[in-house]
Amino acid sequence: MNFKKVCILGLGYIGLPTASTFATHGVKVLGVDVNPHIVETLRSGEIHIHEPGLRDVVKAALASGNFSVSTQPEESDAFIIAVPTPFHHNKFGEYNGQHFKLADMGAVQSATEAVVPFLRKGNLVVLESTSPPRTTLELIAPILARSGLQAGRDFYLAYSPERVLPGQILRELIENARVIGGTTPESAKAGADLYSIFVKGEIIQTDATTAEMVKLMENTYRDVNIAIANEFARLADKFGVDVWEAISLANRHPRVKILSPGPGVGGHCISVDPWFLVESAPELTSLIYTSRKVNDAQPHYVVDLVKRALGSLQGKRIAALGLAYKPDVDDLRESPAVEVVRVLQVEGAQVKAWEPFKPDANVEDISMASSLEDALKDSDAILWLVRHTEFINLKPADIASKTKARIIIDTVNGWNVKEWQSAGFAVSRLGVRKQ
Ligand code: SAJ
């Protein structure tokens, strides 16, 4: 199939890189976002998100004349839906007394509805948003049928999960293997034709529900594995073991690859997607449910660690290093670091947070430092929450000259303990209680 024009709905972390990459590969692209500020920002040549290399690709896409943006779709050969699927914050499911989060499919639903008036025979529609199993067949196809056209007969319909890693999006978009699940084999083939415009990784065709499951399985697998690492950290602490040393030794076994413990699991993917499986089949997902609970409880475990290091939290001034959900990104969504800071404050501590990737972040109830120095200035303790590269490079003597704090709580195992101890710091680490 030949694609001259593609309409991409949702210009966030996935839609914008995808749209600009299609455009730099010679396809006319209309990027659509319901948020007029995003459309204005892009039209003025700026971007609204931080992702290495993205600014240059968007600039190249605009300069090519192939990329335009709007709040409304237009007729196109293909439509790609790449809008967020967060969970409801005030609506929960229940099974056997256990409560679980529910996917908010509102954005997917309205983006699909927005396509209906522009859908023509022979078009291709692809859903990329992470969704509960059977969404393409049971939510998307019926909405698109309002056009009078039927998926599989009059137009092609497919699900293709995005699997790019924030921080590496532009490279992974092109190089990763891509799964395309069609509601019919012809739809999968049409999807493969579309993505082969820029994808260099293998393109694998399957059915739509398998492709939906694949995405959820990948992120759930990671969540469960991080949960076991976090539980190992708690056990190591109890038994007087250094979990980081124990993991590195266990990982020398040829079939073991334990991930890293930390302050918890955040972001808009791994901390969200497993709930889609729980919601879809709570009677079958006790392991997935428990793993989510373990990871969601990890920020509280970190607060206990801080309490232990400081004796009490009441009135203590703490410099929190990092608020992003993971290293070297500016994304604060569902960040465990934010949760740690909130709980510390509830327990009476006064926290000042320094996030070098988003110094002017506006996070409710959190007091942001204007610089590292500002965070350290009056602090009693330093709490390291995100393994940003620039924090790894901090020098103990330099930090000692900027603060009276001589207590460090390291949740990411990023510093050489001996070096910091020689500079006069008492260091507590997550998952370590050497006896
Ligand atoms: N984390 C740990 N320990 C680890 C690894 C990660 O605590 O050993 C934490 C991170 O700090 C972070 C969270 O887990 O809070 C998630 O980070 P991540 O780097 O594992 O994943 P994401 O959410 O940035 O991206 C994931 C990726 N999925 C997988 O690796 C299976 C990515 O490929 C997906 O495209 C993305 O989710 C998505 O959009 O679904």
Side-chain angles (χ1 to χ4, degrees):
M1 224 181 133
N2 198 5
F3 297 95
K4 290 200 180 61
K5 181 168 173 187
V6 178
C7 177
I8 300 186
L9 294 96
L11 295 176
Y13 282 90
I14 300 305
L16 184 57
T18 306
S20 35
T21 303
F22 269 118
T24 55
H25 284 73
V27 180
K28 284 263 175 235
V29 177
L30 176 70
V32 176
D33 203 291
V34 289
N35 183 338
H37 295 298
I38 292 179
V39 170
E40 278 318 307
T41 306
L42 291 168
R43 278 191 184 145
S44 70
E46 287 302 312
I47 56 174
H48 58 291
I49 46 185
H50 170 89
E51 172 65 27
L54 182 59
R55 184 178 297 270
D56 291 343
V57 181
V58 171
K59 272 201 176 129
L62 290 166
S64 72
N66 284 334
F67 183 37
S68 54
V69 283
S70 169
T71 53
Q72 290 294 325
E74 287 172 7
E75 278 186 34
S76 298
D77 300 313
F79 297 87
I80 295 177
I81 299 169
V83 295
T85 44
F87 48 71
H88 287 285
H89 278 280
N90 45 14
K91 207 163 107 189
F92 298 90
E94 203 218 307
Y95 176 76
N96 265 354
Q98 297 186 324
H99 293 84
F100 47 85
K101 298 180 181 180
L102 295 170
D104 179 355
M105 300 303 289
V108 168
Q109 200 162 331
S110 25
T112 312
E113 285 164 356
V115 170
V116 172
F118 304 97
L119 189 63
R120 300 292 174 261
K121 263 194 166 178
N123 280 175
L124 164 67
V125 180
V126 184
L127 175 66
E128 280 202 23
S129 311
T130 307
S131 302
R134 302 191 67 81
T135 295
T136 310
L137 290 175
E138 292 174 4
L139 180 69
I140 308 302
I143 294 177
L144 294 175
R146 294 178 201 160
S147 64
L149 301 174
Q150 195 184 317
R153 187 191 66 193
D154 303 313
F155 67 95
Y156 304 106
L157 176 60
Y159 179 81
S160 181
E162 59 77 15
R163 300 148 99 198
V164 290
L165 193 71
Q168 308 271 346
I169 291 180
L170 291 160
R171 186 178 57 76
E172 290 207 351
L173 200 56
I174 292 173
E175 290 176 9
N176 283 4
R178 181 119 208 165
V179 175
I180 317 261
T183 51
T184 57
E186 295 75 23
S187 295
K189 167 77 173 58
D193 289 347
L194 175 65
Y195 287 98
S196 66
I197 292 172
F198 68 76
V199 171
K200 294 211 179 81
E202 200 183 341
I203 298 184
I204 305 118
Q205 299 177 36
T206 182
D207 65 85
T209 309
T210 301
E212 289 164 350
M213 268 291 279
V214 165
K215 169 72 193 193
L216 297 172
M217 282 163 55
E218 289 166 353
N219 281 355
T220 301
Y221 168 86
R222 199 160 166 82
D223 196 43
V224 171
N225 279 283
I226 298 169
I228 202 166
N230 284 334
E231 218 161 70
F232 286 153
R234 299 175 196 181
L235 288 167
D237 183 315
K238 180 175 169 74
F239 297 127
V241 166
D242 175 337
V243 77
W244 308 93
E245 182 194 359
I247 288 176
S248 80
L249 298 182
N251 281 351
R252 293 171 84 154
H253 185 290
R255 284 174 298 282
V256 173
K257 178 83 192 73
I258 301 167
L259 294 176
S260 302
V265 170
H268 46 295
C269 311
I270 298 202
S271 67
V272 179
D273 299 357
W275 290 117
F276 293 5
L277 289 175
V278 174
E279 152 180 9
S280 306
E283 73 287 4
L284 301 175
T285 43
S286 59
L287 174 65
I288 299 171
Y289 174 87
T290 303
S291 302
R292 277 279 72 245
K293 287 285 172 188
V294 168
N295 287 335
D296 274 355
Q298 193 70 355
H300 298 267
Y301 182 72
V302 169
V303 170
D304 286 344
L305 185 68
V306 179
K307 217 183 271 175
R308 246 196 275 155
L310 292 177
S312 126
L313 293 175
Q314 207 55 45
K316 294 282 162 53
R317 293 166 186 264
I318 299 172
L321 302 193
L323 274 190
Y325 84 92
K326 70 169 190 175
D328 297 332
V329 299
D330 74 338
D331 194 339
L332 269 54
R333 283 180 289 177
E334 315 296 336
S335 172
V338 169
E339 180 68 7
V340 170
V341 172
R342 289 216 171 102
V343 180
L344 283 170
Q345 292 183 160
V346 169
E347 304 239 345
Q350 292 174 33
V351 187
K352 214 163 201 197
W354 167 232
E355 176 42 73
F357 285 86
K358 220 171 201 173
D360 49 0
N362 191 1
V363 194
E364 210 183 324
D365 302 330
I366 292 187
S367 149
M368 300 296 293
S370 56
S371 62
L372 176 65
E373 287 70 18
D374 181 33
L376 294 174
K377 209 170 47 198
D378 300 315
S379 61
D380 302 310
I382 302 169
L383 170 61
W384 190 7
L385 291 171
V386 187
R387 209 175 194 279
H388 290 320
T389 311
E390 64 180 87
F391 293 156
I392 299 175
N393 297 330
L394 293 175
K395 298 278 169 281
D398 183 38
I399 298 301
S401 70
K402 294 185 166 122
T403 175
K404 64 175 174 29
R406 289 295 177 269
I407 297 175
I408 283 173
I409 303 104
D410 174 0
T411 67
V412 297
N413 192 39
W415 284 330
N416 180 316
V417 177
K418 289 213 168 70
E419 274 179 26
W420 287 82
Q421 283 170 339
S422 338
F425 290 94
V427 182
S428 300
R429 277 183 300 150
L430 178 93
V432 183
R433 195 191 299 187
K434 279 283 190 192
Q435 288 169 340

